[in-house]
Tab-separated table of all heavy atoms in Angstrom:
chain	number	residue	atom	x	y	z
A	1	HIS	N	2.490	-2.377	-8.034
A	1	HIS	CA	1.061	-2.081	-8.391
A	1	HIS	C	0.301	-3.356	-8.723
A	1	HIS	O	-0.701	-3.320	-9.288
A	1	HIS	CB	1.006	-1.111	-9.495
A	1	HIS	CG	1.514	0.296	-9.243
A	1	HIS	ND1	0.798	1.010	-8.289
A	1	HIS	CD2	2.531	0.901	-9.628
A	1	HIS	CE1	1.578	2.182	-8.199
A	1	HIS	NE2	2.642	2.116	-9.002
A	2	GLN	N	0.821	-4.554	-8.259
A	2	GLN	CA	0.246	-5.908	-8.433
A	2	GLN	C	-0.312	-6.406	-7.086
A	2	GLN	O	-1.206	-7.149	-6.981
A	2	GLN	CB	1.149	-6.867	-9.089
A	2	GLN	CG	1.623	-6.473	-10.500
A	2	GLN	CD	2.614	-7.420	-11.037
A	2	GLN	OE1	2.463	-8.577	-11.170
A	2	GLN	NE2	3.881	-6.889	-11.365
A	3	PHE	N	0.353	-6.053	-6.035
A	3	PHE	CA	-0.030	-6.486	-4.696
A	3	PHE	C	0.578	-5.534	-3.695
A	3	PHE	O	1.290	-4.546	-4.136
A	3	PHE	CB	0.598	-7.800	-4.314
A	3	PHE	CG	2.017	-7.875	-4.433
A	3	PHE	CD1	2.880	-7.549	-3.374
A	3	PHE	CD2	2.733	-8.252	-5.568
A	3	PHE	CE1	4.197	-7.675	-3.336
A	3	PHE	CE2	4.207	-8.308	-5.649
A	3	PHE	CZ	4.843	-8.072	-4.572
A	4	LEU	N	0.349	-5.550	-2.421
A	4	LEU	CA	0.880	-4.648	-1.445
A	4	LEU	C	1.604	-5.477	-0.342
A	4	LEU	O	1.006	-6.332	0.248
A	4	LEU	CB	-0.224	-3.888	-0.686
A	4	LEU	CG	-1.169	-2.956	-1.590
A	4	LEU	CD1	-2.065	-2.176	-0.756
A	4	LEU	CD2	-0.292	-1.989	-2.374
A	5	ALA	N	2.917	-5.170	-0.196
A	5	ALA	CA	3.639	-5.809	0.915
A	5	ALA	C	3.454	-5.042	2.244
A	5	ALA	O	4.226	-4.317	2.742
A	5	ALA	CB	5.202	-5.707	0.509
A	6	ILE	N	2.248	-5.323	2.672
A	6	ILE	CA	1.634	-4.316	3.736
A	6	ILE	C	2.179	-4.654	5.168
A	6	ILE	O	1.884	-3.771	5.968
A	6	ILE	CB	0.085	-4.556	3.738
A	6	ILE	CG1	-0.622	-3.156	4.185
A	6	ILE	CG2	-0.448	-5.719	4.543
A	6	ILE	CD1	-2.058	-3.094	3.795
A	7	GLN	N	2.801	-5.603	5.404
A	7	GLN	CA	3.491	-5.758	6.734
A	7	GLN	C	4.713	-4.915	6.894
A	7	GLN	O	4.802	-3.996	7.600
A	7	GLN	CB	3.742	-7.290	6.951
A	7	GLN	CG	2.549	-8.201	7.049
A	7	GLN	CD	1.651	-7.844	8.173
A	7	GLN	OE1	2.214	-7.417	9.259
A	7	GLN	NE2	0.527	-8.321	8.177
A	8	HIS	N	5.857	-5.415	6.264
A	8	HIS	CA	7.135	-4.685	6.490
A	8	HIS	C	7.241	-3.401	5.685
A	8	HIS	O	8.183	-2.551	6.071
A	8	HIS	CB	8.314	-5.556	6.094
A	8	HIS	CG	8.580	-5.755	4.607
A	8	HIS	ND1	7.787	-6.246	3.735
A	8	HIS	CD2	9.600	-5.261	3.884
A	8	HIS	CE1	8.308	-6.318	2.466
A	8	HIS	NE2	9.432	-5.593	2.644
A	9	GLU	N	6.297	-3.045	4.850
A	9	GLU	CA	6.256	-1.643	4.162
A	9	GLU	C	5.063	-0.875	4.596
A	9	GLU	O	4.587	-0.047	3.781
A	9	GLU	CB	6.391	-1.883	2.688
A	9	GLU	CG	7.718	-2.444	2.188
A	9	GLU	CD	7.895	-2.490	0.774
A	9	GLU	OE1	6.933	-2.403	0.016
A	9	GLU	OE2	9.048	-2.678	0.334
A	10	GLY	N	4.322	-1.389	5.654
A	10	GLY	CA	3.130	-0.727	6.118
A	10	GLY	C	2.911	-0.731	7.550
A	10	GLY	O	3.258	0.201	8.210
A	11	TYR	N	2.374	-1.794	8.065
A	11	TYR	CA	1.953	-1.812	9.519
A	11	TYR	C	3.233	-1.594	10.385
A	11	TYR	O	3.094	-0.921	11.443
A	11	TYR	CB	1.237	-3.139	9.801
A	11	TYR	CG	-0.025	-3.395	9.085
A	11	TYR	CD1	-0.303	-4.702	8.599
A	11	TYR	CD2	-0.816	-2.374	8.680
A	11	TYR	CE1	-1.445	-4.891	7.842
A	11	TYR	CE2	-2.051	-2.568	7.943
A	11	TYR	CZ	-2.355	-3.783	7.508
A	11	TYR	OH	-3.384	-4.053	6.913
A	12	GLN	N	4.330	-2.330	10.112
A	12	GLN	CA	5.443	-2.203	10.990
A	12	GLN	C	5.991	-0.718	10.972
A	12	GLN	O	6.516	-0.254	11.997
A	12	GLN	CB	6.518	-3.156	10.538
A	12	GLN	CG	6.124	-4.665	10.767
A	12	GLN	CD	7.033	-5.660	10.226
A	12	GLN	OE1	8.210	-5.389	10.008
A	12	GLN	NE2	6.556	-6.748	9.978
A	13	VAL	N	5.944	-0.139	9.910
A	13	VAL	CA	6.434	1.253	9.802
A	13	VAL	C	5.460	2.224	10.626
A	13	VAL	O	5.949	3.031	11.375
A	13	VAL	CB	6.397	1.809	8.373
A	13	VAL	CG1	6.850	3.192	8.237
A	13	VAL	CG2	7.331	0.865	7.411
A	14	ALA	N	4.167	1.931	10.535
A	14	ALA	CA	3.240	2.657	11.244
A	14	ALA	C	3.381	2.513	12.714
A	14	ALA	O	3.163	3.460	13.536
A	14	ALA	CB	1.777	2.327	10.885
A	15	GLU	N	3.663	1.348	13.177
A	15	GLU	CA	3.862	1.140	14.623
A	15	GLU	C	5.198	1.904	15.123
A	15	GLU	O	5.134	2.503	16.233
A	15	GLU	CB	4.216	-0.472	14.853
A	15	GLU	CG	2.897	-1.224	14.716
A	15	GLU	CD	3.247	-2.741	14.790
A	15	GLU	OE1	4.387	-3.074	14.809
A	15	GLU	OE2	2.260	-3.598	14.740
A	16	TYR	N	6.263	1.900	14.273
A	16	TYR	CA	7.357	2.730	14.589
A	16	TYR	C	7.051	4.149	14.747
A	16	TYR	O	7.421	4.832	15.732
A	16	TYR	CB	8.445	2.554	13.552
A	16	TYR	CG	9.641	3.542	13.702
A	16	TYR	CD1	10.787	3.140	14.400
A	16	TYR	CD2	9.604	4.808	13.227
A	16	TYR	CE1	11.891	4.057	14.667
A	16	TYR	CE2	10.663	5.742	13.396
A	16	TYR	CZ	11.809	5.317	14.179
A	16	TYR	OH	12.847	6.210	14.317
A	17	LEU	N	6.238	4.660	13.830
A	17	LEU	CA	5.874	6.089	13.781
A	17	LEU	C	5.046	6.503	15.104
A	17	LEU	O	5.336	7.447	15.765
A	17	LEU	CB	5.017	6.504	12.559
A	17	LEU	CG	5.863	6.372	11.264
A	17	LEU	CD1	4.963	6.730	10.040
A	17	LEU	CD2	7.077	7.353	11.180
A	18	ALA	N	4.069	5.624	15.303
A	18	ALA	CA	3.179	5.956	16.509
A	18	ALA	C	4.005	5.854	17.771
A	18	ALA	O	3.726	6.587	18.681
A	18	ALA	CB	2.084	4.846	16.502
A	19	ALA	N	4.924	4.988	17.852
A	19	ALA	CA	5.912	4.854	19.157
A	19	ALA	C	6.784	6.124	19.235
A	19	ALA	O	7.214	6.381	20.299
A	19	ALA	CB	6.654	3.621	19.047
A	20	HIS	N	6.738	6.879	18.212
A	20	HIS	CA	7.666	8.081	18.179
A	20	HIS	C	6.871	9.334	18.104
A	20	HIS	O	7.273	10.328	17.662
A	20	HIS	CB	8.720	7.995	17.098
A	20	HIS	CG	9.796	7.045	17.312
A	20	HIS	ND1	9.602	5.708	17.185
A	20	HIS	CD2	11.073	7.238	17.667
A	20	HIS	CE1	10.694	5.020	17.480
A	20	HIS	NE2	11.671	5.905	17.808
A	21	GLY	N	5.555	9.228	18.347
A	21	GLY	CA	4.668	10.430	18.469
A	21	GLY	C	4.099	10.931	17.129
A	21	GLY	O	3.590	12.033	17.000
A	22	ILE	N	4.248	10.052	15.997
A	22	ILE	CA	3.729	10.397	14.758
A	22	ILE	C	2.609	9.440	14.305
A	22	ILE	O	2.840	8.214	14.338
A	22	ILE	CB	4.892	10.273	13.718
A	22	ILE	CG1	6.132	11.164	14.219
A	22	ILE	CG2	4.426	10.705	12.473
A	22	ILE	CD1	7.375	10.771	13.426
A	23	ALA	N	1.581	10.066	13.951
A	23	ALA	CA	0.384	9.076	13.377
A	23	ALA	C	0.917	8.463	12.075
A	23	ALA	O	1.330	9.005	11.182
A	23	ALA	CB	-0.836	9.967	13.111
A	24	GLY	N	0.693	7.212	12.119
A	24	GLY	CA	1.016	6.333	10.884
A	24	GLY	C	-0.168	5.783	10.303
A	24	GLY	O	-1.036	5.209	10.982
A	25	LEU	N	-0.521	6.145	8.961
A	25	LEU	CA	-1.775	5.722	8.399
A	25	LEU	C	-1.448	4.822	7.100
A	25	LEU	O	-0.956	5.370	6.174
A	25	LEU	CB	-2.514	6.943	8.043
A	25	LEU	CG	-2.814	7.849	9.196
A	25	LEU	CD1	-1.908	9.180	9.036
A	25	LEU	CD2	-4.187	8.316	9.452
A	26	VAL	N	-1.826	3.601	7.085
A	26	VAL	CA	-1.346	2.713	6.082
A	26	VAL	C	-2.492	2.621	4.999
A	26	VAL	O	-3.593	2.298	5.309
A	26	VAL	CB	-1.072	1.236	6.718
A	26	VAL	CG1	-0.683	0.283	5.640
A	26	VAL	CG2	-0.090	1.214	7.778
A	27	LEU	N	-2.065	2.910	3.763
A	27	LEU	CA	-2.984	2.978	2.635
A	27	LEU	C	-3.115	1.637	2.004
A	27	LEU	O	-2.115	1.171	1.523
A	27	LEU	CB	-2.585	4.097	1.825
A	27	LEU	CG	-3.285	4.361	0.430
A	27	LEU	CD1	-4.835	4.690	0.718
A	27	LEU	CD2	-2.634	5.314	-0.455
A	28	LYS	N	-4.325	1.191	1.834
A	28	LYS	CA	-4.571	0.128	0.913
A	28	LYS	C	-5.214	0.758	-0.383
A	28	LYS	O	-6.277	1.287	-0.306
A	28	LYS	CB	-5.640	-0.871	1.514
A	28	LYS	CG	-5.185	-1.725	2.600
A	28	LYS	CD	-6.267	-2.712	3.101
A	28	LYS	CE	-5.814	-3.635	4.195
A	28	LYS	NZ	-6.901	-4.439	4.739
A	29	TYR	N	-4.378	0.703	-1.345
A	29	TYR	CA	-4.883	1.359	-2.616
A	29	TYR	C	-4.977	0.325	-3.745
A	29	TYR	O	-4.382	-0.907	-3.613
A	29	TYR	CB	-3.747	2.416	-3.061
A	29	TYR	CG	-2.269	1.860	-3.268
A	29	TYR	CD1	-1.945	1.548	-4.571
A	29	TYR	CD2	-1.475	1.918	-2.152
A	29	TYR	CE1	-0.599	1.142	-4.753
A	29	TYR	CE2	-0.137	1.470	-2.405
A	29	TYR	CZ	0.238	1.076	-3.693
A	29	TYR	OH	1.520	0.730	-3.837
A	30	ARG	N	-5.697	0.672	-4.757
A	30	ARG	CA	-6.068	-0.296	-5.792
A	30	ARG	C	-4.788	-0.521	-6.692
A	30	ARG	O	-4.041	0.253	-7.043
A	30	ARG	CB	-7.152	0.272	-6.582
A	30	ARG	CG	-8.567	0.133	-5.909
A	30	ARG	CD	-9.608	0.855	-6.707
A	30	ARG	NE	-9.553	2.416	-6.452
A	30	ARG	CZ	-10.371	3.245	-6.855
A	30	ARG	NH1	-11.302	2.885	-7.754
A	30	ARG	NH2	-10.234	4.603	-6.610
A	31	CYS	N	-4.736	-1.911	-7.002
A	31	CYS	CA	-3.415	-2.336	-7.750
A	31	CYS	C	-3.884	-2.437	-9.319
A	31	CYS	O	-4.362	-3.423	-9.668
A	31	CYS	CB	-2.932	-3.659	-7.185
A	31	CYS	SG	-2.494	-3.571	-5.486
A	32	TYR	N	-3.378	-1.435	-10.153
A	32	TYR	CA	-3.870	-1.430	-11.423
A	32	TYR	C	-3.132	-2.312	-12.358
A	32	TYR	O	-3.438	-2.624	-13.521
A	32	TYR	CB	-3.821	-0.001	-12.038
A	32	TYR	CG	-2.500	0.641	-12.115
A	32	TYR	CD1	-1.775	0.460	-13.403
A	32	TYR	CD2	-1.821	1.288	-11.124
A	32	TYR	CE1	-0.502	0.997	-13.534
A	32	TYR	CE2	-0.676	1.844	-11.335
A	32	TYR	CZ	0.085	1.747	-12.431
A	32	TYR	OH	1.237	2.302	-12.638
A	33	ARG	N	-2.035	-2.810	-11.912
A	33	ARG	CA	-1.200	-3.824	-12.682
A	33	ARG	C	-1.397	-5.321	-12.336
A	33	ARG	O	-0.847	-6.109	-12.927
A	33	ARG	CB	0.272	-3.483	-12.647
A	33	ARG	CG	0.528	-2.062	-13.253
A	33	ARG	CD	2.056	-1.794	-13.218
A	33	ARG	NE	2.775	-2.612	-14.175
A	33	ARG	CZ	4.114	-2.823	-14.200
A	33	ARG	NH1	4.783	-2.190	-13.346
A	33	ARG	NH2	4.573	-3.556	-15.116
A	34	GLN	N	-2.275	-5.528	-11.445
A	34	GLN	CA	-2.640	-6.939	-10.987
A	34	GLN	C	-3.314	-7.604	-12.207
A	34	GLN	O	-4.078	-6.797	-13.022
A	34	GLN	CB	-3.660	-6.897	-9.834
A	34	GLN	CG	-4.139	-8.248	-9.502
A	34	GLN	CD	-5.210	-8.247	-8.392
A	34	GLN	OE1	-5.480	-7.175	-7.762
A	34	GLN	NE2	-5.996	-9.416	-8.256
A	35	GLN	N	-3.098	-8.856	-12.502
A	35	GLN	CA	-3.619	-9.416	-13.563
A	35	GLN	C	-5.104	-9.367	-13.624
A	35	GLN	O	-5.844	-9.737	-12.553
A	35	GLN	CB	-3.191	-10.881	-13.686
A	35	GLN	CG	-3.683	-11.593	-15.012
A	35	GLN	CD	-3.082	-13.062	-15.117
A	35	GLN	OE1	-2.452	-13.478	-14.154
A	35	GLN	NE2	-3.237	-13.743	-16.156
A	36	GLY	N	-5.779	-8.943	-14.750
A	36	GLY	CA	-7.298	-8.814	-14.781
A	36	GLY	C	-7.800	-7.567	-13.994
A	36	GLY	O	-9.015	-7.588	-13.854
A	37	SER	N	-6.916	-6.688	-13.568
A	37	SER	CA	-7.357	-5.562	-12.780
A	37	SER	C	-8.350	-4.724	-13.644
A	37	SER	O	-8.020	-4.336	-14.786
A	37	SER	CB	-6.329	-4.838	-12.228
A	37	SER	OG	-6.784	-3.581	-11.637
A	38	PRO	N	-9.507	-4.128	-13.059
A	38	PRO	CA	-10.291	-3.286	-13.760
A	38	PRO	C	-9.911	-1.795	-13.689
A	38	PRO	O	-10.509	-0.913	-14.157
A	38	PRO	CB	-11.706	-3.491	-13.110
A	38	PRO	CG	-11.412	-3.821	-11.694
A	38	PRO	CD	-10.028	-4.620	-11.730
A	39	TYR	N	-8.740	-1.587	-12.939
A	39	TYR	CA	-8.309	-0.208	-12.637
A	39	TYR	C	-7.273	0.302	-13.507
A	39	TYR	O	-6.603	-0.466	-14.140
A	39	TYR	CB	-8.018	-0.194	-11.095
A	39	TYR	CG	-9.067	-0.715	-10.131
A	39	TYR	CD1	-8.751	-1.855	-9.436
A	39	TYR	CD2	-10.323	-0.222	-10.305
A	39	TYR	CE1	-9.836	-2.311	-8.672
A	39	TYR	CE2	-11.284	-0.728	-9.400
A	39	TYR	CZ	-11.003	-1.744	-8.631
A	39	TYR	OH	-12.025	-2.318	-7.777
A	40	LYS	N	-7.083	1.672	-13.348
A	40	LYS	CA	-5.961	2.323	-14.067
A	40	LYS	C	-5.069	3.073	-13.035
A	40	LYS	O	-5.517	3.192	-11.811
A	40	LYS	CB	-6.693	3.319	-15.094
A	40	LYS	CG	-7.492	2.705	-16.192
A	40	LYS	CD	-8.037	3.830	-17.067
A	40	LYS	CE	-8.849	3.186	-18.229
A	40	LYS	NZ	-9.420	4.180	-19.083
A	41	ARG	N	-4.001	3.611	-13.469
A	41	ARG	CA	-3.104	4.281	-12.617
A	41	ARG	C	-3.814	5.434	-11.945
A	41	ARG	O	-3.600	5.718	-10.750
A	41	ARG	CB	-1.936	4.782	-13.481
A	41	ARG	CG	-0.953	5.721	-12.755
A	41	ARG	CD	0.260	6.056	-13.679
A	41	ARG	NE	1.167	6.949	-13.117
A	41	ARG	CZ	2.048	6.780	-12.181
A	41	ARG	NH1	2.253	5.517	-11.779
A	41	ARG	NH2	2.746	7.727	-11.760
A	42	GLU	N	-4.636	6.075	-12.682
A	42	GLU	CA	-5.461	7.206	-12.047
A	42	GLU	C	-6.242	6.769	-10.866
A	42	GLU	O	-6.484	7.621	-9.940
A	42	GLU	CB	-6.452	7.861	-13.052
A	42	GLU	CG	-5.677	8.487	-14.248
A	42	GLU	CD	-5.061	7.680	-15.171
A	42	GLU	OE1	-5.353	6.462	-15.257
A	42	GLU	OE2	-4.045	8.175	-16.070
A	43	ASP	N	-6.661	5.459	-10.783
A	43	ASP	CA	-7.488	5.059	-9.560
A	43	ASP	C	-6.556	4.978	-8.386
A	43	ASP	O	-6.958	5.322	-7.165
A	43	ASP	CB	-8.174	3.714	-9.956
A	43	ASP	CG	-9.184	3.770	-10.987
A	43	ASP	OD1	-10.063	4.713	-10.983
A	43	ASP	OD2	-9.137	3.000	-11.888
């Protein structure tokens, strides 16, 4: 909840899914534990 490892835990997974007939939708969500983050877990 400080950053997103969006390549090997996101885009590459979505590519695999799409190649197997499954829509893959990679979520960029707010990181509430990033230093100085204005967000909470609920966000």
Side-chain angles (χ1 to χ4, degrees):
H1 294 292
Q2 300 175 56
F3 60 89
L4 300 183
I6 206 160
Q7 294 290 342
H8 78 293
E9 293 182 348
Y11 301 144
Q12 291 171 23
V13 180
E15 288 173 358
Y16 171 93
L17 293 175
H20 288 75
I22 304 163
L25 307 110
V26 182
L27 174 62
K28 285 182 184 175
Y29 58 94
R30 287 170 282 180
C31 300
Y32 68 92
R33 296 184 70 195
Q34 176 188 345
Q35 186 174 6
S37 173
Y39 305 119
K40 298 180 179 178
R41 177 173 169 80
E42 291 74 19
D43 295 312

